[in-house]
Amino acid sequence: MKKNLSIGLSFLALVLFMSASLVNAEKFDWYFDVPVGDTNHRSFTVSKDNLFLQITIEVYVGGPINIFVLDNNTFTAWDFGNGEVVSAYLGGTNISEGSKITIEGYLGTADIIRTDYTTIEIDVNNTVTNSSVTNLGIRTYILVVDNRDGNANTLVDVSILTTVDTITVLTTLSVLVFIAFIAARRRKWKKAPF
């Protein structure tokens, strides 16, 4: 029994080790110095669908600030609209000096599509054009630090972690434990016929 259990746990450890690379976690750290009445931003790219985002914001000096995450299209509309309110993926408002907060949420589906065209000449008068569509699964987002409502220059440290959410990790772990259990039991069933 102990041998089967150790084999099952070894198999589980191997599967977890191999699947760790599938969780595409990325981390971004920025330090912002935003003048009073101004904004600052940084862009970042993510490469998985339905990413879970965790932003840790620490305001050292100044504030209150607003912070939010936009995609390219929304950022362009916000920028050309002189910073008018737009729909952000997630963010926080009135974050004051001395505050350290964490904001969590989803970025949505990365659905950027690229179409490639190839043309084949059959003869002088005839050509055939083929197209192939590729879902790149990569999207650029923009983190905006807004100090227009603040009363002094602001120093802000922002850390972003993009990964899968806890429910997905726990579900994957449960499935892997079940597979390891079945593999261990299967070996036992083979050794002890009915």
Side-chain angles (χ1 to χ4, degrees):
M1 176 68 178
K2 285 185 177 181
K3 185 177 179 183
N4 287 340
L5 182 60
S6 65
I7 291 172
L9 290 175
S10 299
F11 178 73
L12 175 61
L14 178 66
V15 171
L16 285 173
F17 178 74
M18 291 173 59
S19 65
S21 61
L22 301 176
V23 179
N24 191 19
E26 298 177 65
K27 187 169 183 184
F28 306 93
D29 287 306
W30 295 302
Y31 185 75
F32 291 92
D33 183 354
V34 187
V36 65
D38 204 355
T39 64
N40 202 338
H41 64 277
R42 297 279 196 290
S43 63
F44 61 100
T45 58
V46 293
S47 56
K48 284 279 206 187
D49 289 349
N50 297 320
L51 271 177
F52 183 75
L53 186 74
Q54 183 182 68
I55 305 174
T56 303
I57 305 141
E58 187 168 3
V59 180
Y60 296 109
V61 177
I65 63 161
N66 302 321
I67 194 162
F68 43 93
V69 176
L70 307 172
D71 61 24
N72 269 331
N73 293 335
T74 311
F75 177 76
T76 302
W78 176 82
D79 199 25
F80 282 113
N82 295 320
E84 293 300 319
V85 175
V86 293
S87 178
Y89 283 89
L90 67 157
T93 58
N94 294 323
I95 306 168
S96 58
E97 183 176 331
S99 297
K100 183 174 182 179
I101 65 166
T102 299
I103 303 168
E104 298 177 338
Y106 286 98
L107 290 175
T109 303
D111 57 0
I112 295 175
I113 297 193
R114 179 184 76 209
T115 306
D116 296 317
Y117 297 96
T118 55
T119 303
I120 303 169
E121 188 174 323
I122 296 174
D123 59 38
V124 176
N125 297 324
N126 294 318
T127 59
V128 175
T129 302
N130 296 323
S131 64
S132 63
V133 177
T134 305
N135 187 338
L136 300 176
I138 298 171
R139 179 175 280 173
T140 299
Y141 294 92
I142 294 95
L143 173 80
V144 178
V145 177
D146 185 349
N147 190 26
R148 290 177 298 166
D149 296 333
N151 52 25
N153 289 359
T154 301
L155 303 177
V156 184
D157 189 34
V158 180
S159 176
I160 296 178
L161 178 66
T162 63
T163 185
V164 293
D165 64 312
T166 307
I167 293 171
T168 302
V169 171
L170 291 177
T171 302
T172 304
L173 182 61
S174 299
V175 169
L176 292 174
V177 167
F178 179 73
I179 290 170
F181 177 74
I182 293 297
R185 296 297 290 171
R186 187 168 183 245
R187 287 181 60 108
K188 185 177 179 182
W189 292 331
K190 280 185 175 179
K191 289 181 178 179
F194 295 104

